[in-house]
Amino acid sequence: MDSCTTETRIVPLPSGQDVLTAVLRQGAQKLLTQAIDAEVADWIDGHESCRDEQGHRQVVRNGSLPRRTITTGIGAVEVQQPRVHDRRPHGEREKFSSVILPPYLRKTKSVEELIPWLYHKGVSTGDFSEALAALLGPEAKGLSASTVTRLKGIWEQEYQDWSKRSLAGKQYVYVWADGVHFNIRLEGGRQCILVLMGASADGKKELIAIQDGQRESEQSWKELLLDVQARGLTIDPALAVGDGALGFWKALPQVFATTRTQRCWVHKTANVLDKLPKSVQPKAKEMLHAIYLAPSRAEAEKAFDLFVRTYEAKYPKATECLAKDRTALLAFYDFPAEHWLHLRSTNVIESVFATVRLRTDKTKGTGTRIACLTMVYKLMESASRRWRALNGSDLLGDVIAGVVFIDGEKREHAA
């Protein structure tokens, strides 16, 4: 059987267009290639029983069709798909026609969004027609279940390869850590996905690691951190941001001893308010905002003390919840003010997981452990194309160099 496969080629960018567009188009190219290869293989496998008297298969691959250009939402991509040859008598022959890339298709919407669409729609055969129609137009009929199974296998292998990639030479100035739970339909119970994201020296946000484990477990987080260190991440981040309930905090100094800690104000605010009656929560929330939105550490400390004095007599559990993490809650004041928005919470991760939660709500949970890990990886990979760089990225070099910041500004040296 001819082993030729689909080939796609990026049409050169017109002069003046940005490199990022080319990178995104390469992602679309890869996805389109995988989908068409899987569809052709599915068609041929579906005719495996069609053989001649000598037992030779009658439906096989036979070279490639002429290249054609598909205009996507991010530019032109040249496609050359496999040709399917049916050797049976004329009356029995069937013509293969791709539902992903029909002969008349010359323009489509953002192909690079296919994966999140499929996941969001539940990765179930019944929903693929709707998802594909949204991308390729109403004429698209969808993908078969076995084609999707092939694609999911490819994605799982991509996740496995990504999770073992080298991190040598990488440096993350800031890292964010969180753990999110998902239902696992076929295996029972709930699965927690531990996520570590980072800001590189040029201000780009990157997904560092995804691993299942226990959110509050020191051992689970230690395994994740030791793994990224063993793969080459040997430079301690300057600051780590996360929820106080994570086992991450006990594991962190065992692997990255010099990394400072910053508690997430969004989680802390929710935890403190949960220990107050609803009648006082609106005022208490304003007072908490006054702490971390203060323009200087001195003013934040003053607002902090006021909150404690206001509520400690009647609601000691609320003030204890706040006071125990005082130092870690105010660590961001020692970093550039331009970065404070990014450092005061784990919204960097939370905003991405909003998409993931939409998908699990749609499907009532993922099927298996590996399917959950793959789903999280592919959705976050897709979302990463739209992540913007940190505000004040040019100041990250100063943080790396150990420049001292006071209340978000560089310390002035005496003349």
Side-chain angles (χ1 to χ4, degrees), residues 222-237:
K222 185 176 180 180
E223 290 173 4
L224 183 150
L225 294 175
L226 286 174
D227 176 63
V228 298
Q229 185 184 64
R231 289 191 281 122
L233 189 60
T234 57
I235 303 175
D236 291 11

Side-chain angles (χ1 to χ4, degrees), residues 71-348:
T71 302
T72 74
I74 50 173
V77 176
E78 280 195 354
V79 183
Q80 185 176 33
Q81 72 180 69
R83 187 195 306 273
V84 178
H85 181 44
D86 191 339
R87 299 168 175 167
R88 290 175 293 177
H90 285 285
E92 301 176 16
R93 292 179 185 174
E94 298 177 65
K95 183 178 180 180
F96 170 78
S97 180
S98 172
V99 296
I100 300 173
L101 195 66
Y104 53 80
L105 183 66
R106 289 295 182 273
K107 183 177 182 180
T108 182
K109 297 182 181 179
S110 299
V111 177
E112 78 278 6
E113 293 299 318
L114 178 58
I115 288 176
W117 259 100
L118 295 181
Y119 274 130
H120 176 66
K121 294 300 179 182
V123 197
S124 59
T125 306
D127 285 329
F128 282 163
S129 294
E130 179 185 353
L132 215 50
L135 293 167
L136 305 180
E139 298 84 1
K141 298 179 180 178
L143 298 172
S144 71
S146 54
T147 299
V148 173
T149 299
R150 291 177 186 273
L151 285 173
K152 288 169 67 179
I154 292 171
W155 299 336
E156 288 178 8
Q157 186 58 53
E158 286 181 357
Y159 163 70
Q160 297 290 356
D161 294 342
W162 175 84
S163 64
K164 297 174 183 176
R165 76 197 186 287
S166 172
L167 296 173
K170 285 284 188 179
Q171 180 176 11
Y172 296 102
V173 185
Y174 306 128
V175 294
W176 295 265
D178 205 354
V180 181
H181 289 90
F182 297 92
N183 293 322
I184 306 297
R185 292 196 315 272
L186 303 184
E187 297 177 3
R190 286 167 62 78
Q191 179 179 9
C192 182
I193 303 297
L194 309 181
V195 181
L196 189 68
M197 290 179 60
S200 60
D202 58 0
K204 294 180 180 178
K205 300 170 189 172
E206 297 180 8
L207 186 59
I208 303 173
I210 301 174
Q211 182 175 301
D212 53 350
Q214 297 179 4
R215 195 173 189 274
E216 295 79 18
S217 169
E218 172 188 344
Q219 182 60 32
S220 290
W221 282 104
K222 185 176 180 180
E223 290 173 4
L224 183 150
L225 294 175
L226 286 174
D227 176 63
V228 298
Q229 185 184 64
R231 289 191 281 122
L233 189 60
T234 57
I235 303 175
D236 291 11
L239 186 71
V241 186
D243 176 19
L246 298 177
F248 173 78
W249 300 115
K250 291 184 178 179
L252 180 65
Q254 300 177 52
V255 183
F256 299 117
T258 66
T259 300
R260 295 185 59 188
T261 61
Q262 169 66 49
R263 293 293 192 273
C264 171
W265 269 101
V266 172
H267 284 95
K268 179 59 72 175
T269 299
N271 292 338
V272 171
L273 294 180
D274 188 53
K275 295 171 174 57
L276 294 169
K278 290 185 178 180
S279 60
V280 303
Q281 286 184 9
K283 177 60 177 177
K285 188 174 183 179
E286 289 181 12
M287 295 181 70
L288 290 170
H289 287 176
I291 300 173
Y292 66 81
L293 294 179
S296 68
R297 181 187 290 272
E299 292 185 48
E301 297 276 11
K302 183 178 178 180
F304 203 112
D305 291 337
L306 178 60
F307 184 94
V308 173
R309 290 198 306 270
T310 301
Y311 296 109
E312 64 182 342
K314 290 186 176 181
Y315 313 109
K317 290 184 178 180
T319 55
E320 289 171 7
C321 178
L322 180 68
K324 68 184 179 69
D325 291 322
R326 183 171 188 140
T327 300
L329 285 167
L330 302 179
F332 69 89
Y333 281 104
D334 296 332
F335 294 87
E338 290 84 350
H339 300 168
W340 289 0
L341 176 66
H342 308 290
L343 301 181
R344 289 187 294 227
S345 76
T346 55
N347 279 347
V348 169

